[in-house]
C-alpha cells in the first residue's frame, strides 16, 4: 500500500486545514487509517484513527485534539481526511498518515503497529 498525504501548510492560530491521504495498492476498506504527528524534538504521537470495515469504521481521536479535529474516510475514493479546526501553535508538526490491515483495536494508538506510512505533510501554526 502506498500512501500520499497532502494539505499541510502555514495557518494562523484559530485557523483550519484539511489533510488528505490517498491510498493505492490495497483494498482500502480493509485498512485502519490513522494520523500521527511529530514535532521537532518530540516523539511521534497519535492524533486520530478510522477503523477498518472489520472494526465497524469506528473513529478515535486523541484527547489533545478532541473537539477540534475530525477524521473521516471515503472508501470509494481510497482517501482518509482530517479536518483540523481551531488550530494552536502546539499543533505544529509533521503529520503522517498510516495504514494497517491487521491492527487490533487496543493497539490503534501505537505507531509501531502500523505497516504503511505516507511521507508526511508539514503543518505550521503561527501565534
Amino acid at each position: 500500500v502506498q500512501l500520499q498525504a497532502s494539505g499541510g501548510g502555514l495557518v494562523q492560530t484559530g485557523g483550519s486545514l484539511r489533510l488528505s491521504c490517498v491510498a493505492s495498492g490495497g483494498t482500502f476498506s480493509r485498512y485502519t487509517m490513522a494520523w500521527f504527528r511529530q514535532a521537532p524534538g518530540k516523539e511521534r504521537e497519535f492524533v486520530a484513527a478510522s477503523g477498518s470495515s472489520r472494526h465497524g469504521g469506528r473513529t478515535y481521536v486523541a484527547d489533545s485534539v478532541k473537539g477540534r479535529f475530525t477524521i473521516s474516510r471515503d472508501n470509494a475514493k481510497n482517501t482518509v481526511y482530517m479536518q483540523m479546526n481551531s488550530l494552536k501553535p502546539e499543533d505544529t508538526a509533521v503529520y503522517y498518515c498510516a495504514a494497517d490491515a491487521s491492527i487490533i483495536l487496543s493497539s490503534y494508538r501505537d505507531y509501531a503497529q502500523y505497516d504503511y506510512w505516507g511521507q508526511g505533510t508539514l503543518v505550521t501554526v503561527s501565534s
Side-chain angles (χ1 to χ4, degrees):
V1 174
Q2 293 79 45
L3 304 176
Q4 181 71 40
S6 62
L10 173 64
V11 64
Q12 291 185 333
T13 295
S16 298
L17 284 173
R18 189 176 81 155
L19 304 184
S20 300
C21 177
V22 180
S24 60
T27 303
F28 185 71
S29 62
R30 296 174 60 183
Y31 289 84
T32 289
M33 302 298 297
W35 290 98
F36 289 79
R37 67 186 181 185
Q38 189 165 18
K42 294 188 177 182
E43 289 194 358
R44 193 167 298 191
E45 66 169 343
F46 169 79
V47 181
S50 173
S52 67
S53 55
R54 180 166 63 94
H55 294 154
R58 292 182 62 182
T59 59
Y60 308 87
V61 179
D63 288 343
S64 59
V65 303
K66 195 166 291 183
R68 300 189 297 121
F69 291 13
T70 303
I71 188 171
S72 62
R73 65 193 294 163
D74 185 335
N75 288 337
K77 295 183 178 180
N78 290 356
T79 303
V80 62
Y81 305 97
M82 187 160 69
Q83 179 66 42
M84 305 186 297
N85 299 327
S86 303
L87 283 161
K88 305 175 181 180
E90 51 263 43
D91 295 318
T92 295
V94 177
Y95 284 72
Y96 297 91
C97 63
D100 198 275
S102 59
I103 198 167
I104 59 176
L105 285 179
S106 61
S107 299
Y108 66 86
R109 294 175 181 267
D110 182 0
Y111 69 85
Q113 299 301 316
Y114 289 82
D115 285 341
Y116 304 101
W117 290 86
Q119 84 287 3
T121 185
L122 177 62
V123 172
T124 303
V125 185
S126 63
S127 57

